[in-house]
């Protein structure tokens, strides 16, 4: 418990301290966010706000994790997965912001990188003596052995989670606050399940998010960009895989899942009928266009995640 607290506080302090250093640099380099014209009109004023601020969280997580990395292999793996996804996001942001190519990396380029990372963590987990090919079933103390289906399912979970978090990052503080709650959940669960290293790593994510929220909450001084959202998605996915809790992601990561499903349903329905189910996707924009202020939508999603975290606790037999 003491190490978890230390990791959370250290990561928070690093994030708070380097924010005022990184943000002016991003402003000076003119790494500003481009806002879609077809998006909510209230977002137009955000044009030019510095992006790629996920560097702040990545740095805080990396430095803090190094202080404890020598003690736990799982922590090292989780950190590598997080930084690897963050690197994909960083390259994507660089192409969009610096090279002025709006689409960034091609979809297939991002997918190939994500699949490789997903395969590495899936193979590692499948061959780990204390993880293997079993998944904890929610609301029971039973485990489901997937055998040969474990690796493809886990790759799907890793890639899907990373992209779902990426889609959630559309309002000031939304993805940051939701992931803060999710990371706190994994910190408590990992500690209770005996995954000390992963508990510490979860603390570094929670601390980094909490510190970054100071600069990312409405009105945001900086956006995390794909650099941050992909890194956070990788972190959540890695924690779920290494704690054998992939089946819990639809619950604890319910906001991520609903955001992703809203996009899939919107696109699919439009292609089939030429009509839209929502005013705009992802879901958070739909609620904005219905007249809800951005902060109201964000706080509502934070509350929903907190409730889902409590339900997820009930779904664990250790509590």
């Amino acid at each position: 418990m003491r190490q978890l607290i230390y990791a959370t506080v250290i990561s928070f302090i690093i994030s708070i301290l380097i924010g005022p250093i990184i943000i002016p640099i991003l402003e000076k380099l003119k790494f500003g966010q481009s806002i879609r014209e077809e998006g909510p009109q209230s977002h137009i004023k955000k044009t030019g706000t510095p992006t790629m601020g996920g560097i702040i969280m990545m740095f805080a997580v990396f430095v803090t994790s190094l202080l404890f990395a020598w003690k736990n292999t799982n922590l090292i793996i989780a950190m590598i997965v997080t930084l690897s996804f963050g690197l994909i996001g960083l390259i994507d942001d660089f192409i969009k912001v610096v090279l002025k190519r709006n689409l960034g990396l091609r979809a297939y380029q991002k997918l190939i990188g994500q699949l490789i990372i997903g395969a590495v963590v899936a193979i590692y987990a499948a061959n780990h003596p204390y993880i293997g090919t079993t998944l904890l079933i929610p609301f029971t103390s039973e485990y489901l052995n997937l055998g040969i289906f474990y690796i493809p399912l886990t790759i799907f979970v890793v890639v899907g989670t990373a992209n779902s978090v990426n889609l959630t990052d559309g309002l000031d503080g939304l993805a940051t606050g939701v992931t803060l709650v999710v990371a706190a959940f994994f910190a408590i669960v990992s500690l209770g399940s005996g995954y000390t290293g992963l508990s510490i790593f979860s603390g570094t994510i929670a601390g980094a998010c909490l510190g970054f929220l100071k600069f990312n909450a409405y009105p945001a001084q900086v956006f995390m960009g794909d650099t941050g959202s992909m890194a956070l998605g990788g972190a959540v996915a890695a924690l779920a895989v290494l704690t054998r809790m992939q089946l819990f992601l639809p619950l604890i990561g319910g906001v991520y899942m609903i955001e992703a499903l809203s996009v899939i349903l919107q696109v699919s329905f439009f292609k089939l009928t030429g009509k839209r189910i929502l005013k705009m996707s992802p879901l958070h924009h739909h609620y904005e266009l219905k007249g809800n202020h951005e902060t109201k939508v964000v706080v509502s999603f934070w509350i929903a995640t907190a409730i889902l975290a409590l339900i997820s606790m009930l779904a664990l037999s250790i509590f």
Side-chain angles (χ1 to χ4, degrees):
M1 175 62 81
R2 184 168 296 180
Q3 289 183 320
L4 167 59
I5 295 173
Y6 286 155
T8 304
V9 172
I10 292 171
S11 185
F12 167 76
I13 291 174
I14 292 175
S15 188
I16 283 290
L17 291 179
I18 69 168
I21 298 173
I22 298 296
I23 294 173
I25 293 175
L26 295 174
E27 290 176 334
K28 187 174 182 179
L29 293 173
K30 300 187 184 302
F31 287 1
Q33 179 73 44
S34 297
I35 304 298
R36 293 186 300 168
E37 291 183 3
E38 66 271 21
Q41 292 302 301
S42 59
H43 287 208
I44 299 299
K45 62 185 179 183
K46 299 182 181 184
T47 300
T49 300
T51 188
M52 298 173 71
I55 295 172
I56 296 170
M57 290 186 289
M58 287 178 66
F59 183 80
V61 169
F62 177 69
V63 172
T64 308
S65 294
L66 284 182
L67 297 176
F68 301 92
W70 60 274
K71 298 180 179 180
N72 193 278
T73 304
N74 282 346
L75 187 155
I76 296 173
I77 294 297
M79 178 180 68
I80 291 174
V81 171
T82 300
L83 296 180
S84 297
F85 270 102
L87 180 60
I88 292 175
L90 181 63
I91 294 172
D92 193 39
D93 281 336
F94 183 83
I95 293 173
K96 287 187 290 188
V97 176
V98 180
L99 302 184
K100 306 300 181 184
R101 276 173 42 190
N102 290 336
L103 296 178
L105 284 171
R106 307 284 184 187
Y108 77 89
Q109 293 173 324
K110 285 191 280 191
L111 183 59
I112 289 173
Q114 293 168 355
L115 288 172
I116 291 173
I117 300 169
V120 170
V121 70
I123 293 171
Y124 168 81
N127 290 281
H128 193 287
Y130 299 112
I131 302 175
T133 58
T134 59
L135 308 180
L136 179 60
I137 303 174
F139 298 102
T140 75
S141 57
E142 302 297 320
Y143 287 85
L144 174 65
N145 193 331
L146 293 179
I148 61 172
F149 298 105
Y150 176 84
I151 290 179
L153 175 68
T154 298
I155 293 174
F156 174 78
V157 167
V158 171
V159 174
T161 301
N163 286 293
S164 296
V165 176
N166 182 246
L167 289 171
T168 303
D169 180 37
L171 300 179
D172 295 359
L174 178 55
T176 309
V178 168
T179 306
L180 168 60
V181 176
V182 173
F185 165 80
F186 275 111
I188 296 170
V189 169
S190 298
L191 190 64
S193 302
Y195 296 106
T196 306
L198 294 178
S199 178
I200 292 170
F201 180 74
S202 300
T204 70
I205 297 295
C209 285
L210 187 60
F212 185 68
L213 201 55
K214 179 182 185 300
F215 313 107
N216 186 234
Y218 183 87
Q221 297 173 248
V222 65
F223 299 137
M224 68 172 70
D226 285 358
T227 305
S229 60
M230 292 297 289
L232 293 181
V236 171
L239 287 167
V241 172
L242 297 176
T243 56
R244 299 188 285 181
M245 294 179 64
Q246 291 97 314
L247 297 180
F248 281 75
L249 278 176
L251 190 55
I252 181 60
V255 167
Y256 304 142
M257 186 181 71
I258 291 173
E259 291 274 52
L261 284 176
S262 71
V263 174
I264 294 171
L265 290 173
Q266 180 86 326
V267 173
S268 300
F269 194 77
F270 184 77
K271 286 184 176 181
L272 288 172
T273 67
K275 299 179 180 179
R276 292 179 172 83
I277 299 175
L278 306 172
K279 290 180 178 293
M280 186 178 179
S281 64
L283 188 61
H284 53 258
H285 287 322
H286 170 75
Y287 285 119
E288 266 195 295
L289 293 177
K290 287 192 69 174
N292 296 287
H293 191 274
E294 179 174 347
T295 54
K296 183 176 181 179
V297 177
V298 169
V299 172
S300 296
F301 278 44
W302 287 356
I303 293 172
T305 305
I307 297 299
L308 289 171
L310 293 175
I311 296 173
S312 298
M313 289 286 189
L314 293 175
L316 281 163
S317 59
I318 62 171
F319 291 100

